[in-house]
């Protein structure tokens, strides 16, 4: 079994920087597959936040940024705002599973 | 404006069948891969299936392989998910999503509002 793993929760005060990790393996992120990130508020559909590891779709604030290195990826929120309180998911592909995989999701709490 | 609207959700008994539909507008559906993604109550996202632009190739998660069929009708701007042999574990909100491919990996850049499927007796 493989897949990608996220911390269940992270928190920070307004204005702080928070980082969400997405840890994979040699069959997914480490194999060179891209990572995409999604933001989801309760009761609503997910929204694409970062694609291709580092790219922001039009309309996504630049306080959201993504990176990828070796077998992991990260989503960074700089200047955390109350409206950023949501669930965040990473997504990639796993060749050993032959499947699109999502991380378990990370709940961001603004203190 | 890109819009995806799911329909067909509801309550079904274990072992039963259900067909979800997704009507799309605001883009040329034949230019995109399309997907279904589901989310069980209080749980995370789970990829269900992808279908190629012309419908000739489909890919499934192991959890639904052999039970679910994804299809599309580009002339009707529609995507479908035929679900059979349903189990309690299939209870979830099912989202249809536009899935443009980037370096062999779909990114879900537009989503419907979701359709709730409840499998219970």
């Amino acid at each position: 079994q493989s897949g990608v793993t996220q911390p269940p929760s992270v928190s920070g005060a307004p204005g702080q920087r928070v980082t969400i990790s997405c840890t994979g393996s040699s069959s997914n992120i480490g194999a060179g597959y891209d990572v995409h990130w999604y933001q989801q508020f309760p009761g609503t559909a997910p929204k694409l936040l970062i694609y291709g590891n580092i790219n922001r779709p039009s309309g996504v604030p630049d306080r959201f940024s993504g990176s990828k290195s070796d077998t992991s990826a990260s989503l960074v929120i700089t200047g955390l705002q109350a409206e950023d309180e949501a669930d965040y998911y990473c997504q990639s592909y796993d060749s050993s599973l032959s499947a699109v995989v999502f991380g378990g999701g990370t709940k961001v709490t603004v203190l | 404006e890109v819009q995806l609207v799911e329909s067909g959700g509801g309550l079904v008994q274990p072992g039963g069948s259900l067909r979800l539909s997704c009507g799309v507008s605001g883009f040329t559906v034949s230019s995109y891969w399309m997907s279904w993604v589901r989310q069980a109550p209080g749980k995370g996202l789970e990829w269900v299936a992808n279908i190629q632009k012309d419908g000739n190739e489909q890919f499934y998660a192991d959890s639904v392989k052999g039970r679910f069929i994804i299809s599309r009708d580009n002339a009707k701007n529609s995507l479908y998910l035929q679900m059979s042999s349903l189990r309690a574990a299939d209870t979830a909100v099912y989202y249809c999503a536009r899935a443009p491919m980037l370096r062999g990996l779909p990114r879900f850049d537009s989503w419907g509002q979701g359709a709730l499927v409840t499998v219970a007796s």
Side-chain angles (χ1 to χ4, degrees):
Chain A
Q1 196 72 312
S2 190
V4 293
T5 304
Q6 300 177 233
S9 63
V10 299
S11 61
Q16 282 191 331
R17 166 186 165 122
V18 296
T19 300
I20 301 170
S21 60
C22 180
T23 303
S25 67
S26 59
S27 62
N28 44 64
I29 299 173
Y33 293 105
D34 284 341
V35 176
H36 309 316
W37 291 91
Y38 302 86
Q39 178 189 56
Q40 185 181 34
F41 297 104
T44 69
K47 168 191 166 184
L48 180 65
L49 199 64
I50 297 287
Y51 68 93
N53 309 312
I54 62 172
N55 303 292
R56 281 187 307 275
S58 170
V60 173
D62 59 7
R63 65 177 182 276
F64 294 95
S65 62
S67 65
K68 175 189 162 186
S69 179
D70 297 327
T71 58
S72 66
S74 295
L75 174 70
V76 175
I77 310 174
T78 56
L80 190 65
Q81 298 184 7
E83 66 203 55
D84 299 332
E85 194 163 279
D87 294 322
Y88 294 82
Y89 295 88
C90 63
Q91 176 231 324
S92 187
Y93 182 83
D94 194 294
S95 57
S96 67
L97 299 173
S98 295
V100 172
V101 291
F102 284 96
T106 299
K107 182 174 180 58
V108 169
T109 300
V110 181
L111 302 173
Chain B
E1 181 192 4
V2 171
Q3 281 195 321
L4 300 91
V5 180
E6 301 93 340
S7 59
L11 175 64
V12 60
Q13 291 189 337
S17 298
L18 205 61
R19 188 197 199 205
L20 300 181
S21 299
C22 175
V24 311
S25 60
F27 66 99
T28 304
V29 68
S30 59
S31 297
Y32 292 88
W33 285 62
M34 298 293 294
S35 297
W36 289 96
V37 176
R38 69 183 181 183
Q39 186 170 35
K43 303 297 184 182
L45 301 172
E46 180 188 14
W47 168 72
V48 173
N50 288 341
I51 187 166
Q52 204 179 29
K53 295 178 188 181
D54 58 9
N56 284 340
E57 277 196 286
Q58 307 86 34
F59 302 88
Y60 299 93
D62 283 348
S63 58
V64 306
K65 201 172 293 183
R67 300 187 300 122
F68 289 13
I69 298 174
I70 185 172
S71 62
R72 64 193 296 162
D73 187 334
N74 289 339
K76 294 184 177 180
N77 293 317
S78 294
L79 176 72
Y80 306 101
L81 186 67
Q82 178 67 48
M83 303 182 291
S84 59
S85 302
L86 282 161
R87 310 163 179 166
D90 296 317
T91 294
V93 173
Y94 285 74
Y95 295 101
C96 70
R98 193 173 73 171
M101 299 296 278
L102 176 66
R103 293 190 284 268
L105 173 70
R107 69 180 187 274
F108 307 116
D109 69 351
S110 294
W111 299 66
Q113 85 286 354
L116 176 62
V117 173
T118 303
V119 183
S121 52

